[in-house]
Amino acid sequence: MTLSDGVILRCHLQESQPQYSDKNWVSAMNNEYQALLRNRTWHLVPRPKGKNIIGCKWVYKIKRKADGTIDRYKARLVAKGYKQQYGIDYEDTFSPVVKAATIRLILSIAVSRGWSLRQLDVQNAFLHGVLEEEVYMQQPPGYTDKVHPSYVCKLDKALYGLK
């Protein structure tokens, strides 16, 4: 399968893994990959000498509706951040988390004022943080730039799994 921008999906990777042959998972990976490209999460560069190159992997999840039926297939590209080296690939760690007390406060205000509440699922919300450190990652499994197959991704924005 060929994608735009000189990228090809290599379906011959580990045939024992069903996600590479199932059209639902392939579509989910393509959607995630295209979102990462649109967001300019990285740009390809020649492999730098003396730099740590971290790997990445696909993580799969089936999103279900309230009645248990399948809503959609979700594939997420996750950096293998455990291979990052302190002081080289990162300085501080940060995890954007909302405290339970904050949620309770917002809910109590909404109820007391009669506001209606709705749930919002923002796809790729984590991926908008700009990186200050130089982080290099292998090209995603199953996707290779046909013009520069030996290049690596220099991350410009945050990716799941980074420290």
Side-chain angles (χ1 to χ4, degrees), residues 130-151:
V130 177
L131 291 178
E132 295 176 11
E133 300 86 1
E134 278 192 354
V135 180
Y136 297 92
M137 180 184 79
Q138 296 171 352
Q139 291 189 46
Y143 294 83
T144 302
D145 184 279
K146 66 182 178 183
V147 177
H148 302 292
S150 63
Y151 278 28

Side-chain angles (χ1 to χ4, degrees), residues 61-74 119 121:
K61 183 174 184 175
I62 295 176
K63 298 277 192 165
R64 298 191 179 272
K65 296 178 184 176
D67 64 2
T69 59
I70 294 175
D71 182 32
R72 64 186 170 107
Y73 290 77
K74 174 75 176 162
Q119 179 179 339
D121 183 17

Side-chain angles (χ1 to χ4, degrees), residues 68-131:
T69 59
I70 294 175
D71 182 32
R72 64 186 170 107
Y73 290 77
K74 174 75 176 162
R76 176 177 287 166
L77 185 66
V78 178
K80 294 181 179 178
Y82 57 86
K83 295 212 175 187
Q84 287 180 273
Q85 298 172 354
Y86 180 77
I88 297 173
D89 298 318
Y90 73 98
E91 294 294 330
D92 296 314
T93 58
F94 174 73
S95 180
V97 178
V98 177
K99 293 183 181 180
T102 304
I103 293 172
R104 284 194 301 272
L105 176 66
I106 297 297
L107 290 174
S108 65
I109 292 171
V111 168
S112 67
R113 297 190 178 194
W115 295 344
S116 63
L117 299 174
R118 292 196 171 84
Q119 179 179 339
L120 177 65
D121 183 17
V122 178
Q123 293 184 1
N124 309 101
F126 178 75
L127 306 177
H128 297 287
V130 177
L131 291 178

Side-chain angles (χ1 to χ4, degrees), residues 28-39:
M29 288 188 294
N30 288 341
N31 290 339
E32 176 75 359
Y33 186 76
Q34 291 301 322
L36 293 169
L37 292 179
R38 277 192 308 274
N39 194 37

Side-chain angles (χ1 to χ4, degrees), residues 4 15 27 31 40 57 115 121 126:
S4 60
E15 295 293 334
S27 176
N31 290 339
R40 295 188 170 102
K57 65 181 180 177
W115 295 344
D121 183 17
F126 178 75

Side-chain angles (χ1 to χ4, degrees), residues 42-45 135-140 151-155:
W42 65 72
H43 63 278
L44 292 176
V45 297
V135 180
Y136 297 92
M137 180 184 79
Q138 296 171 352
Q139 291 189 46
Y151 278 28
V152 295
C153 302
K154 181 179 185 298
L155 297 181

